[in-house]
Structures are given as structure tokens and as C-alpha cells.
Amino acid sequence: MRVTIASGRLAIGLFAVFMCLPWSAFAANEAETALLLIELIQAGRTVVTEHQDLLNDPARGDKGFTPEYFGGKLIEKYREVAKIDLSRATPSPQTGLLLTLLESGKEVVAEAQPVLNKQGVAFKGFIPASWGRKAGEKFTKKTGVKLKLTATEYRYPGNKPDEFEAEVLRQFSEPSYARGREFSRVLVQDGRQVLRMMKPEYVGPKCLSCHGEPKGERDKTGMKKEGLKEGELAGAISLTIQIR
Ligand code: HEC
């Protein structure tokens, strides 16, 4: 498992804010768990993306996109990307967290049923980003592990980057930053040791209809486009997990 340690510049930049600790051996478990959780939320967003046409079909009432159906698809997708079968994973604290995130994601789908099954409406506002945010919020409430999407130019107020995230996002957007590589750091926050991990996300062709050009124009969700170009940094998934 590859883990990136903060560069000197970030450490200096944040020194006044956080007390930076040396990388501790036991944070390796948390780092692995953090990466697996990030992969699971990404897989969930992919499942939503793959069903977007079905969900936006105004001709259909019942879409069959039930929590059980979604959960099955997510388990399948996760087996592909992470090589972990959540339908028969051995119990451990790590598995517990992954299963709780799966459950949180299913709850979001359950709550959306009345909206999703409405006939005569095409776009229902059910998109990967909002699924991911809501699943993250539920997961955080249940576990205390903070999981969020963030961006320098954020849309949803709760996605606003904190000081650490703002600085890492700035690093991610530098051409010299190794593309796609996650960034992690052990910090003391509120008197407790935490592992912070962030993984950058880039603008792909499918993102442009909402986050692309022209900047300021309304997208189909009614929000203003950011004017991003393909390949640019879109934002990051950010995770804060307590070290035991
Ligand atoms: C249908 C329009 C739409 C598409 C397509 C879309 N997004 Fe978004 N995106 C949104 C909306 C709306 C939000 C705010 C969602 C929320 O938190 O409720 C958002 C939020 C985000 C955020 C979190 C930060 C913020 O702005 O609040 C990131 C990062 C992001 N999108 C990246 C992407 C990427 C990468 C893609 C393509 C793979 C993409 N989006 C495709 C509409 C879209």
C-alpha cells in the first residue's frame, strides 16, 4: 500500500495550525482503511453514474433501483476494484467500517425512492456527488470517521475545505504534483491523533455538463458551472480517521 507523506512546504504552512507528528507505524492500519473507504465511496458513485440514464428516464415509474439492488451492485463493483467481497468479509474493525459505509449508501437510496420512482420527471437531482455526500454524512454520524467531498470552489456549504484541505487542494492543483496520488498526514486535532487522507479527483468528459464552461452558466441542477476544463483538478475525497 502506497502512502504519501507531506512535503516540507505543507508541513511548514500548517505548522502554526496543527502540531505535525512523525509518521507512526500504527497509522499504517488507518491508512489502509482510509484508502479502502475512499475506494468504496468512489465505487458507489460509479454505480450511480452507471444508472443515471435509468434514473433520469421520465417514461418509467418504478425503476427497481432499490437499496438491495444498489447494495448488490456496489458489492459487485467493489469486488472488481478492491478485490474485497463485502458479502462475506471476515469480521474486523476495518470490515465493520466498510459495511457501515455500504449500509449508509443503501439508506440514501432508500430515502430517495419516492423521488426516484416518480413518473414524468426526467432529472431528479439524484447524482453521484449528492449520493456520496449524504452517504458520507450518515457514515460520519455512525462512526465518527469524517468522510467528505471537497473542492476549492465548492458548491455545497458542507463541502467547504478546512485549512488542511485547502492547502492540500492547492498542492494537488500544482503541475508538479504526482497525478492521482493520495496525500496523508498524521496530525493532532482537538488533542487526538488523527490520520488525514485526501485523494484528488479530476474533471472527466462526463463532469463538463455541470462543472465545465461557460463559467457562471446554470447547469441542470440549477447551480453555476465552475468553468473547469477536462483534466483539471475537480476536488478531492477527504477522510479523517482517529488513530487508536
Ligand atoms: C449533473 C451535474 C453534475 C455532474 C455531471 C457532476 N457533478 Fe460534481 N457536483 C454537482 C453538484 C450539484 C454538487 C454538489 C452536490 C452536493 O454536495 O449535494 C457537486 C459536487 C462535486 C464535488 C464536491 C465539492 C462541491 O462542489 O461541493 C466534487 C469534487 C465534484 N462534484 C466533482 C465532480 C466530478 C469529478 C464529476 C465527473 C466525474 C462531477 N462532479 C460530475 C453536480 C454535478
Side-chain angles (χ1 to χ4, degrees), residues 127 129-130 133 154-156 159 202 206-207 210-211 223 234:
I127 57 170
S130 48
R133 171 174 60 78
Y154 56 95
R155 292 179 166 213
Y156 183 76
N159 296 341
Y202 302 93
K206 282 195 176 153
C207 322
C210 293
H211 294 288
M223 294 180 130

Side-chain angles (χ1 to χ4, degrees), residues 58-77:
R60 283 180 73 151
D62 190 350
K63 313 281 187 304
F65 196 77
T66 61
E68 294 70 37
Y69 173 84
F70 171 79
K73 286 285 169 196
L74 179 48
I75 287 173
E76 218 173 89
K77 177 71 54 193

Side-chain angles (χ1 to χ4, degrees), residues 161-174:
D162 66 16
E163 223 158 322
F164 176 84
E165 288 162 339
E167 176 56 24
V168 177
L169 284 165
R170 199 192 55 68
Q171 289 219 4
F172 282 167
S173 64
E174 277 180 9

Side-chain angles (χ1 to χ4, degrees), residues 6-20 162-168 170-171 174 183 185 187:
S7 76
R9 186 133 48 102
L10 181 82
I12 293 162
L14 290 170
F15 199 75
V17 188
F18 305 102
M19 190 176 93
C20 298
D162 66 16
E163 223 158 322
F164 176 84
E165 288 162 339
E167 176 56 24
V168 177
R170 199 192 55 68
Q171 289 219 4
E174 277 180 9
F183 181 105
R185 192 77 170 127
L187 303 173

Side-chain angles (χ1 to χ4, degrees), residues 109-200:
V109 174
E111 284 165 15
Q113 290 301 300
V115 174
L116 292 180
N117 293 330
K118 223 176 240 166
Q119 208 171 2
V121 183
F123 184 66
K124 304 169 186 70
F126 192 86
I127 57 170
S130 48
W131 172 83
R133 171 174 60 78
K134 289 176 185 163
E137 286 169 354
K138 286 181 186 295
F139 175 74
T140 297
K141 262 201 203 124
K142 290 182 214 256
T143 63
V145 176
K146 252 194 178 162
L147 178 55
K148 70 187 254 208
L149 271 168
T150 188
T152 305
E153 252 192 88
Y154 56 95
R155 292 179 166 213
Y156 183 76
N159 296 341
K160 180 182 178 177
D162 66 16
E163 223 158 322
F164 176 84
E165 288 162 339
E167 176 56 24
V168 177
L169 284 165
R170 199 192 55 68
Q171 289 219 4
F172 282 167
S173 64
E174 277 180 9
S176 59
Y177 189 86
R179 212 176 155 77
R181 182 182 289 178
E182 71 279 356
F183 181 105
S184 57
R185 192 77 170 127
V186 175
L187 303 173
V188 172
Q189 280 177 211
D190 303 325
R192 312 184 97 140
Q193 270 198 75
V194 295
L195 175 81
R196 304 275 319 238
M197 181 173 290
M198 286 174 68
K199 187 150 189 176

Side-chain angles (χ1 to χ4, degrees), residues 50 73-84:
E50 287 171 354
K73 286 285 169 196
L74 179 48
I75 287 173
E76 218 173 89
K77 177 71 54 193
Y78 199 59
R79 212 185 293 130
E80 270 167 48
V81 296
K83 314 281 179 252
I84 291 177

